[in-house]
Amino acid sequence: MRCLAVTLALMWLVLNTAMAHAQSTTGSISGRIVDAQGLVMPGVTVTATGPQGAKSAVSDDQGRFNLPFLTPGLYSVKAELQGFKTIERTDIQVRLDQTVDLPLTMELATLTENITVSGAAPVVNPTQTTTGSNLDSATLSELPIGRRFSDTLYLAPGVSSSGNLGSANPSVSGSSGLENQYIVDGLNITNGGYGALGSYSIIFGSLGNGTPYDFMQEVQVKTGGYEAEYGESTGGVINVVTKSGSNDLRGSVFGYIHPHSFENSWRQVQTANGTVNTVQTQLSDSGATIGGPVVHDHLFYFAAFDPQWETRTFIAPPNFPLARLGPVDRDRRVVNYAAKGTWQVTPEHRFDGSFFGDPAHGDKGPQRTISLLNTTTSGFSELDQYGGHNQTGRYSGVFTQRFLLDASVGHALNRITEVPSVNEPQITDRTVVPNVRTGGIGFYEAGNKSVSWQAHAKATTILEGAGQHQIGYGFNYNHVDYSQINQRTGPTFITPAGDRSATGAQIDILSDPSLGRIFRVVRANLNAGRDTSQRYWAGFAEDSWQIGNHLTFRPGVRYEQESLSGTLVQDFTLKQNWAPRIGATWDPTKTGRAKIYGSYGRYYSRVPNDLAARALSADATITADYFDAALTRPIPNGVLAGPVGQQTTNHYTLLGGSADLIDPDVKLSYNNEYIAGGEYELPSNLTLGVRYVHRDVGRVLEDVQPFPIVATDLRIPGAATADYTLTNPGPNTPVLGGLGASFESAVHDYDAIEATANKRLSDNWAIQASYRWSRLRGNFEGFYRDDNGQSDPGISSLFDFPSNDPSYTAIGAPRFGYLGDIRFLGDLGSGPLPLDRPHQVKAYGSYRLNFGLTLAAGLNMSSGKPLTALAANPVYQNGGEIPLTPRGEGFLTSEGIRARTPFTTVLDGHASYPVNFGGQRKLTFVADVFNIFNKETVSDYDSFVESTFGSLNPDFGVAGASSVPAARQAGQQFLPPRQLRVGARFEF
């Protein structure tokens, strides 16, 4: 806390020396006023009147005015000067983190005259190079989308599926789903452990919603070109502003339900090793909102309460023991809450306080889908608690028309605790098909908790000189405490080295030609709990240099530094991370209705604390072979044992016994981005746009160990107990063992052309549509490894061993039964990455009939995912690690040879009808149909050739199946069937 206090004091001193919206929660209106001859008009009083009263500014000697810190919503603008006709513009839509450019022309008055213009201001933001979308709550309520926060993000162009990571963490501009930043009311709610949205589990994915749907005023999805004040992300920046109270009392009571009786049958899949199928789902929520004034024009409040209930019903495969239970429910409930207060001391100074959270619970039962593959209910568990609580306070002030200040402090907490039903080791008998699973759940998160303290500030000084300069500069500080308790069910045991484990064991029973069978501990740990911390800070400076009313330059620079501490290594600091930004826009029409723009930016990845828990702490993981299931008689090294064709004399491996070694020159990962495009608004308020986006990875932070994989089975000294090194891997990274192997550079190249068409609601219709052609190629996926479901940002298995390694196939394959070729993880296998989606179409439109009925539709079309067959890692034992072919080459499936999953087309529909009761009171009935044509397209094929090393996967290639742990939690891999959601909302 002392460090935080010092930081805040220094921040104030820096900022007190100079339009501000650090991680903005507001918008602004600005423009230039001229007379009928085009001469600038100084001294004009401009007043914007909106939901929280009026704010005024006076045009300067260049005729420019600026009205910052406006709560998003509808405004009217009035310009007044004695001797001239008063101009009034109505229905001006102010959006989150956007500046409405409002040029005004004043005429001489012969009498007292007003000119009132009703109609929207230009939609094109002629000074911004940021790409993405702004989605307001009114628009979202009339479209067929899910009601959770994350469901809204997919409307933006450049946002697509993150594959096995789940819908809560989308891929933005080719990134993995763990590379985004999520901000609500200026508070970063990104999970401190893994970089996901809210409460995150490596077993279940994101479990928290982040913020209630009915608490959102507007969502801004920045997909690229973002300003220097934004960083910590090589994906996208998702910025949310919550609703605020106004001078009018407003509220709502609502309820929505998608009952299982309103959905078609789920397509089923049967596999040799068993797949648990979903047979029905039900999701409902109900709640209320209220907001209004405490003191007119000065003090406002808003509150929302929105609990949700989710039931997913599973059934065990036929002929499996738990099939006797029939359909089994998995129940979860989330209690979303929110409260917000606004104190507008004067029109120039305001304070906001926001409190929101989503505490949740999952009842004891099949929280893990695969628990129904056990012989008994011993695989059941309870999600004792998950979700989080967040608080933030904010000040926004206009000290003069040329100096503005915005500052905030906040606290974010999220956690997950799973409780197993029994404390028994997880045992899988792989000598028979289907495999027989007994015992407990194995690996589980016994108490992972992320606590973040944050402080942000930004000031802007407005200067004149060869045009107008809005020079912004600021500071961001974040302290994260992250505790990780990862356990495994079962009693502790003595390892072959004589140590006692800290966890139970996950055991595979394998066949052996001499011994009959052996008991392999595929995973156990010598330590379980780790407390970590992180200190992150960044400073930035940027200029919006506007020349005339048609040309803007946006240079900026950002500096980022991060320090991580684990249980063994303290203050591992990643510094000297400079991120230049440059952009320019030109309005050839000089009307604010068109722009041609381009930008370059460098974006650094902020490393989550999972790296500190695993690489900077003791993360000792073992594999070991035993003669007996009680793990009392280890097989000595030197004895040949194991499945036929994969026998080995090495029976004990210890990795991560100490903290990683640190390369003294190691730095943060970063991406480079280049964007060029244009937008034009037609007279009908329809805006068309096209842009080209390129991203490439300049450097990655990963951990490596210096021996080739085969060195362990060759029993080369040091290979079985090697330490890892945190470094920026490349051809010069040292390799030991003398087997001719080397590391290679990471490649992640994204190219896209995006075409957009947007029209806000006018003349009773609206549309938001986009088409994206893109290619994502290389050998590095990012913070999340989608092909096997690994959530270890900065320490994935992609660089654990040298990839340019001929010994893997020359020695490992013939002598030890290795499958695949590790060189296909490197340059030799470079190709389409798992999140490559060459074609993507999104079209959402609505039409309001004269009698009030609103009809809307949403069309989503996308290319399928590329397919690559994967073998197990001989050292780690787990499947899904080593490619059999270059990436995207495909394999033989149950539906023939496939290089990709099928192209998907989904059409959704919406209808809503209001019944007015006078004034602001109305009751709206809502119905949404998802997947109207009931297309249950295959979304994956099982790509694992081996379940574990030495055990072939009998389900390899089966359509609708997957061995990726995260995907198996979802059951069968088909699109969900047709579903109907109905609801009602009373507003007053």
Side-chain angles (χ1 to χ4, degrees):
M1 291 301 294
R2 179 188 301 173
C3 185
L4 179 60
V6 172
T7 300
L8 290 171
L10 290 173
M11 178 176 64
W12 172 253
L13 289 173
V14 171
L15 294 178
N16 208 34
T17 64
M19 178 180 81
H21 33 85
Q23 298 185 343
S24 181
T25 62
T26 59
S28 61
I29 300 175
S30 66
R32 193 164 183 251
I33 306 175
V34 298
D35 63 15
Q37 286 73 44
L39 301 176
V40 298
M41 295 282 294
V44 179
T45 300
V46 183
T47 303
T49 303
Q52 293 181 336
K55 291 189 176 185
S56 297
V58 178
S59 62
D60 62 17
D61 56 4
Q62 298 298 313
R64 299 185 186 278
F65 68 92
N66 184 35
L67 293 161
F69 303 133
L70 300 178
T71 300
L74 283 175
Y75 286 79
S76 63
V77 175
K78 182 184 290 184
E80 301 171 288
L81 182 65
Q82 186 174 2
F84 289 82
K85 298 176 183 179
T86 297
I87 298 177
E88 186 169 359
R89 295 286 299 270
T90 61
D91 296 328
I92 306 300
Q93 180 76 52
V94 173
R95 294 192 176 276
L96 172 62
D97 201 21
Q98 298 277 315
T99 297
V100 176
D101 185 62
L102 192 66
L104 299 173
T105 301
M106 303 194 72
E107 301 176 6
L108 288 169
T110 55
L111 298 171
T112 302
E113 296 180 83
N114 288 353
I115 301 176
T116 300
V117 180
S118 180
V123 175
V124 174
N125 193 331
T127 66
Q128 291 283 342
T129 60
T130 301
T131 61
S133 291
N134 279 59
L135 311 166
D136 63 86
S137 58
T139 300
L140 295 173
S141 68
E142 295 187 342
L143 293 176
I145 58 173
R147 288 184 42 75
R148 299 184 178 186
F149 164 44
S150 56
D151 296 329
T152 67
L153 309 180
Y154 289 87
L155 274 68
V159 177
S160 59
S161 168
S162 61
N164 295 309
L165 189 57
S167 62
N169 297 281
S171 169
V172 178
S173 297
S175 69
S176 77
L178 296 183
E179 297 171 56
N180 304 319
Q181 185 185 35
Y182 302 92
I183 302 166
V184 178
D185 279 350
L187 182 72
N188 188 343
I189 63 168
T190 311
N191 179 269
Y194 296 95
L197 171 60
S199 181
Y200 181 79
S201 161
I202 61 175
I203 298 295
F204 302 103
S206 281
L207 291 171
N209 296 323
T211 191
Y213 177 93
D214 286 272
F215 190 35
M216 297 186 300
Q217 173 65 29
E218 191 168 339
V219 180
Q220 182 187 48
V221 184
K222 294 175 179 279
T223 60
Y226 28 97
E227 307 88 334
E229 68 177 284
Y230 292 97
E232 311 176 38
S233 164
T234 49
V237 175
I238 289 84
N239 190 15
V240 177
V241 63
T242 58
K243 291 179 179 178
S244 301
S246 68
N247 278 323
D248 298 315
L249 179 64
R250 294 281 187 269
S252 66
V253 179
F254 53 85
Y256 297 85
I257 185 169
H258 147 217
H260 60 77
S261 57
F262 284 12
E263 65 181 17
N264 284 61
S265 298
W266 288 69
R267 184 178 175 183
Q268 307 290 293
V269 63
Q270 303 301 331
T271 58
N273 265 333
T275 295
V276 176
N277 283 279
T278 298
V279 293
Q280 62 187 32
T281 61
Q282 180 164 300
L283 180 65
S284 61
D285 72 295
S286 62
T289 69
I290 185 73
V294 178
V295 179
H296 197 77
D297 284 347
H298 289 287
L299 192 60
F300 312 93
Y301 69 92
F302 180 84
F305 182 68
D306 184 18
Q308 298 177 352
W309 298 268
E310 179 186 13
T311 298
R312 196 175 186 100
T313 305
F314 303 108
I315 191 166
N319 302 320
F320 273 63
L322 293 185
R324 69 180 187 275
L325 300 178
V328 184
D329 290 341
R330 183 192 71 189
D331 293 316
R332 295 175 181 173
R333 62 184 180 273
V334 181
V335 181
N336 294 308
Y337 71 88
K340 185 175 185 179
T342 300
W343 179 27
Q344 196 158 270
V345 186
T346 69
E348 292 77 28
H349 300 276
R350 64 180 282 173
F351 294 87
D352 291 278
S354 293
F355 308 85
F356 55 94
D358 55 351
H361 177 82
D363 294 343
K364 181 180 176 181
Q367 292 297 331
R368 300 177 180 223
T369 311
I370 60 174
S371 65
L372 289 172
L373 298 179
N374 275 32
T375 56
T376 69
T377 59
S378 60
F380 284 10
S381 64
E382 174 186 0
L383 291 177
D384 182 56
Q385 56 181 336
Y386 62 92
H389 303 274
N390 310 279
Q391 308 86 35
T392 179
R394 187 179 203 88
Y395 165 76
S396 303
V398 181
F399 287 84
T400 70
Q401 289 199 129
R402 296 187 177 276
F403 178 67
L404 300 85
L405 176 65
D406 197 12
S408 67
V409 294
H411 170 264
L413 176 149
N414 55 69
R415 68 177 79 199
I416 176 164
T417 301
E418 186 181 13
V419 180
S421 60
V422 300
N423 186 34
E424 299 174 1
Q426 182 187 78
I427 302 175
T428 304
D429 185 350
R430 300 192 183 278
T431 65
V432 294
V433 176
N435 298 161
V436 176
R437 296 166 57 95
T438 58
I441 61 177
F443 174 88
Y444 68 99
E445 290 150 311
N448 291 354
K449 179 180 177 182
S450 171
V451 179
S452 171
W453 295 92
Q454 306 170 28
H456 312 275
K458 180 185 176 183
T460 296
T461 300
I462 301 174
L463 303 173
E464 300 292 338
Q468 185 185 82
H469 299 264
Q470 293 191 15
I471 302 174
Y473 42 96
F475 188 85
N476 174 20
Y477 176 80
N478 198 331
H479 179 94
V480 176
D481 290 315
Y482 177 71
S483 58
Q484 184 184 85
I485 305 176
N486 290 339
Q487 261 290 354
R488 300 177 197 273
T489 54
T492 61
F493 62 98
I494 302 300
T495 73
D499 303 308
R500 177 164 291 278
S501 69
T503 71
Q506 290 177 253
I507 302 170
D508 279 358
I509 302 175
L510 302 176
S511 61
D512 180 272
S514 301
L515 303 173
R517 59 182 186 171
I518 64 172
F519 299 85
R520 176 165 292 168
V521 175
V522 292
R523 281 290 189 278
N525 297 86
L526 301 186
N527 38 63
R530 296 171 281 268
D531 291 327
T532 70
S533 66
Q534 176 191 142
R535 297 189 309 277
Y536 167 88
W537 69 269
F540 66 90
E542 58 191 5
D543 183 15
S544 178
W545 176 20
Q546 192 170 355
I547 302 173
N549 63 346
H550 63 286
L551 184 61
T552 303
F553 291 101
R554 301 186 66 91
V557 65
R558 179 182 179 91
Y559 178 81
E560 302 182 43
Q561 183 166 307
E562 181 176 359
S563 180
L564 292 158
S565 294
T567 59
L568 296 180
V569 175
Q570 306 293 314
D571 297 322
F572 167 51
T573 302
L574 296 152
K575 53 188 177 181
Q576 299 301 319
N577 301 296
W578 292 93
R581 313 281 172 85
I582 183 69
T585 66
W586 175 55
D587 178 3
T589 68
K590 300 183 181 181
T591 63
R593 296 186 179 276
K595 70 176 178 181
I596 298 171
Y597 62 96
S599 68
Y600 163 76
R602 174 170 291 183
Y603 307 126
Y604 284 93
S605 301
R606 178 176 169 183
V607 181
N609 277 46
D610 176 60
L611 182 143
R614 297 200 59 203
L616 305 183
S617 307
D619 183 35
T621 303
I622 70 163
T623 62
D625 292 337
Y626 288 79
F627 290 110
D628 64 322
L631 308 183
T632 60
R633 296 187 296 136
I635 300 177
N637 282 340
V639 174
L640 187 67
V644 174
Q646 295 179 323
Q647 292 182 294
T648 180
T649 57
N650 182 73
H651 300 289
Y652 177 67
T653 300
L654 167 65
L655 294 174
S658 58
D660 281 11
L661 305 173
I662 307 295
D663 180 345
D665 297 320
V666 67
K667 292 181 173 62
L668 285 173
S669 304
Y670 71 83
N671 283 0
N672 295 306
E673 178 192 73
Y674 305 84
I675 296 177
E679 291 182 14
Y680 183 73
E681 183 180 353
L682 299 172
S684 60
N685 295 325
L686 176 67
T687 301
L688 303 178
V690 63
R691 56 179 170 257
Y692 166 73
V693 181
H694 171 81
R695 283 188 174 186
D696 62 68
V697 62
R699 181 176 65 215
V700 300
L701 169 67
E702 279 283 348
D703 66 339
V704 306
Q705 67 92 18
F707 290 92
I709 280 184
V710 75
T712 300
D713 281 316
L714 292 175
R715 301 180 65 188
I716 293 177
T721 57
D723 288 324
Y724 293 84
T725 299
L726 282 171
T727 187
N728 303 122
N732 296 324
T733 301
V735 174
L736 304 177
L739 297 171
S742 63
F743 287 93
E744 298 170 282
S745 297
V747 179
H748 181 103
D749 289 334
Y750 173 78
D751 291 279
I753 296 174
E754 298 173 355
T756 60
N758 296 288
K759 180 184 180 296
R760 57 194 171 193
L761 184 63
S762 62
D763 301 324
N764 290 336
W765 68 283
I767 190 170
Q768 181 166 323
S770 65
Y771 167 74
R772 180 185 71 169
W773 172 91
S774 65
R775 294 311 307 263
L776 176 64
R777 301 180 66 84
N779 58 25
F780 179 72
E781 298 182 45
F783 272 0
Y784 179 76
R785 187 172 173 185
D786 183 64
D787 58 2
N788 68 6
Q790 185 185 11
S791 301
D792 280 316
I795 50 172
S796 75
S797 59
L798 287 169
F799 285 91
D800 281 1
F801 299 92
S803 57
N804 184 20
D805 175 20
S807 68
Y808 184 94
T809 54
I811 301 174
R815 289 185 58 179
F816 305 110
Y818 292 4
L819 298 181
D821 189 339
I822 197 172
R823 288 174 294 184
F824 291 143
L825 282 179
D827 291 345
L828 189 64
S830 184
L833 292 169
L835 298 183
D836 178 51
R837 304 290 188 273
H839 302 283
Q840 186 178 60
V841 176
K842 302 177 184 180
Y844 285 82
S846 63
Y847 186 81
R848 185 173 297 169
L849 293 141
N850 291 334
F851 60 91
L853 177 66
T854 296
L855 299 175
L859 175 67
N860 285 275
M861 305 170 66
S862 176
S863 301
K865 61 183 287 185
L867 298 174
T868 306
L870 299 168
N873 183 303
V875 173
Y876 298 156
Q877 303 291 311
N878 48 286
E881 291 282 350
I882 310 298
L884 268 69
T885 65
R887 291 182 181 272
E889 290 284 311
F891 49 79
L892 179 62
T893 75
S894 59
E895 298 181 336
I897 296 177
R898 295 285 188 270
R900 285 183 182 271
T901 58
F903 195 94
T904 59
T905 300
V906 177
L907 180 66
D908 305 322
H910 166 94
S912 57
Y913 182 75
V915 178
N916 294 310
F917 291 90
Q920 298 294 326
R921 294 175 301 165
K922 64 178 180 179
L923 175 63
T924 303
F925 297 96
V926 180
D928 296 280
V929 183
F930 302 99
N931 194 1
I932 290 175
F933 295 112
N934 197 34
K935 292 195 171 184
E936 297 184 83
T937 309
V938 175
S939 58
D940 206 357
Y941 301 89
D942 197 325
S943 60
F944 285 24
V945 177
E946 296 174 289
S947 300
T948 63
F949 182 66
S951 178
L952 293 177
N953 176 18
D955 300 324
F956 170 62
V958 173
S962 177
S963 290
V964 175
R968 296 193 75 185
Q969 293 299 328
Q972 66 269 48
Q973 299 297 295
F974 305 108
L975 294 183
R978 181 190 298 115
Q979 298 171 328
L980 173 64
R981 182 184 68 202
V982 295
R985 182 176 63 252
F986 178 71
E987 298 170 274
F988 58 89

